[in-house]
């Protein structure tokens, strides 16, 4: 299993969610976060307004999926979150050792 973590622009969340649903992703966790990358949080366009700040609002999307689906999840997020502008975000892929569904006790792929 893999954990795919994507940091994206907030207005791209709906597009990313819809694209992931189309490829069969059953669930995800979404968190509002702030941070900066190479642009050092300088100038950002958010909801049509340009502003300067040292921390830029972003969305963190976390998806746990079967290992064979991870590459497709990454490609889908990259395609749907891309604006071609600085600050589009990053995608990280990590190995998941174990997953357990609390309600039933199912483990690993069955728990997803």
């Amino acid at each position: 299993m893999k954990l795919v973590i994507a940091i994206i622009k907030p207005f791209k969340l709906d597009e990313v969610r819809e694209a992931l649903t189309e490829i069969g992703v059953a669930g995800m966790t979404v968190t509002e976060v702030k941070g900066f990358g190479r642009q050092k949080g300088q100038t950002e366009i958010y909801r049509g307004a340009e502003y300067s700040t040292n921390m830029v609002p972003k969305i963190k999307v976390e998806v746990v999926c079967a290992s064979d689906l991870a590459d497709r999840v990454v490609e889908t997020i990259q395609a749907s979150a891309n604006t071609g502008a600085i600050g589009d975000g990053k995608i990280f892929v990590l190995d998941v050792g174990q997953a357990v569904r609390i309600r039933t006790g199912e483990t690993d792929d069955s728990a997803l």
Side-chain angles (χ1 to χ4, degrees):
M1 291 178 302
K2 300 285 186 182
L3 170 61
V4 179
I5 302 171
I7 309 297
I8 63 171
K9 291 185 174 188
F11 66 89
K12 286 299 214 171
L13 176 59
D14 286 337
E15 287 179 53
V16 169
R17 184 188 53 78
E18 288 170 12
L20 289 173
T21 301
E22 286 178 17
I23 66 165
V25 171
M28 65 182 69
T29 301
V30 176
T31 311
E32 292 182 12
V33 296
K34 290 183 180 185
F36 67 92
R38 287 187 182 168
Q39 83 248 24
K40 304 287 187 265
Q42 291 167 0
T43 301
E44 178 77 7
I45 296 175
Y46 181 66
R47 294 191 178 175
E50 188 173 307
Y51 66 95
S52 295
T53 181
N54 59 0
M55 292 289 186
V56 179
K58 300 286 184 179
I59 296 290
K60 180 165 81 169
V61 176
E62 297 171 291
V63 176
V64 179
C65 60
S67 296
D68 58 346
L69 186 60
D71 288 339
R72 193 151 175 228
V73 168
V74 169
E75 291 167 7
T76 301
I77 293 171
Q78 183 176 6
S80 57
N82 184 16
T83 68
I86 293 174
D88 273 354
K90 297 275 191 298
I91 301 173
F92 307 98
V93 181
L94 293 81
D95 289 323
V96 174
Q98 182 179 19
V100 178
R101 185 183 307 255
I102 293 173
R103 180 175 55 85
T104 61
E106 293 171 286
T107 60
D108 300 329
D109 286 346
S110 312
L112 302 180

